[in-house]
Amino acid sequence: MEVFLANINHIESISVLFDRYRVFYNQISNLEAAKDFLKERFNNNDSVVFAASDNGQLVGFTQLYPSFSSVSMKRICILNDLYVEESHRRKGIAKLLMSAAEEYAKESGAIRVILSTQISNITAQKLYEARDYIKNEEFYHYALPLQ
């Protein structure tokens, strides 16, 4: 198993995983839109993607978005996406991807990594808590749908 920093050259394989990730979250499959979205992220340096490869086949990815904390006036990283192919789950791949993302965040000077997950995604919550992520119980998070 290898985890590496992906780039635009991996767009075809990453797009398939990204599309499956979106389907997992009840979105309609749209491989072309997934590819376009990721291509824009790579071209604009909007995010960092780590991929997991098993014998040359991509089986998982995680995507970090840079952001900042105004209160601390420091960089933070948002771990927005984490996906492992169903056939490769429970093999430690998500942990490897998270380790790579966390190490990247530290090296980039970030003071923390933040993430969110569905309340019903107990498996992910167990993973995050086992990695010492702290569930935020001080703040509510709101979203305003614009479309």
Side-chain angles (χ1 to χ4, degrees):
M1 190 63 55
E2 175 192 13
V3 172
F4 61 92
L5 184 61
N7 60 47
I8 194 78
N9 297 322
H10 304 106
I11 195 78
E12 296 297 328
S13 299
I14 295 286
S15 297
V16 171
L17 294 174
F18 185 71
D19 188 57
R20 291 178 184 160
Y21 166 77
R22 293 184 66 256
V23 169
F24 177 83
Y25 281 106
N26 301 314
Q27 299 300 304
I28 296 170
S29 176
N30 188 336
L31 188 55
E32 277 308 307
K35 189 183 302 182
D36 290 344
F37 179 84
L38 288 172
K39 196 179 291 185
E40 189 173 346
R41 301 292 71 74
F42 282 122
N43 287 336
N44 293 331
N45 293 314
D46 289 336
S47 69
V48 174
V49 177
F50 287 93
S53 172
D54 185 14
N55 294 318
Q57 176 189 1
L58 294 192
V59 296
F61 80 98
T62 189
Q63 184 165 211
L64 286 170
Y65 291 102
S67 189
F68 296 90
S69 165
S70 297
V71 173
S72 65
M73 297 184 297
K74 302 283 182 178
R75 177 186 193 82
I76 61 173
C77 287
I78 303 166
L79 195 155
N80 204 71
D81 313 317
L82 177 64
Y83 178 80
V84 175
E85 291 278 43
E86 195 168 341
S87 61
H88 284 74
R89 292 181 187 160
R90 303 207 189 287
K91 296 182 179 181
I93 297 170
K95 290 177 187 176
L96 291 172
L97 287 164
M98 290 189 74
S99 290
E102 292 159 3
E103 187 60 32
Y104 172 86
K106 283 180 197 172
E107 290 175 3
S108 74
I111 60 167
R112 70 179 157 267
V113 174
I114 62 172
L115 59 82
S116 61
T117 192
Q118 283 184 324
I119 293 170
S120 62
N121 195 342
I122 303 302
T123 302
Q125 292 170 41
K126 287 179 182 177
L127 171 64
Y128 305 145
E129 290 170 11
R131 298 189 64 77
D132 296 327
Y133 283 73
I134 301 165
K135 187 190 305 185
N136 184 335
E137 298 193 22
E138 292 182 44
F139 295 92
Y140 289 118
H141 296 270
Y142 294 88
L144 174 64
L146 298 175
Q147 293 182 4

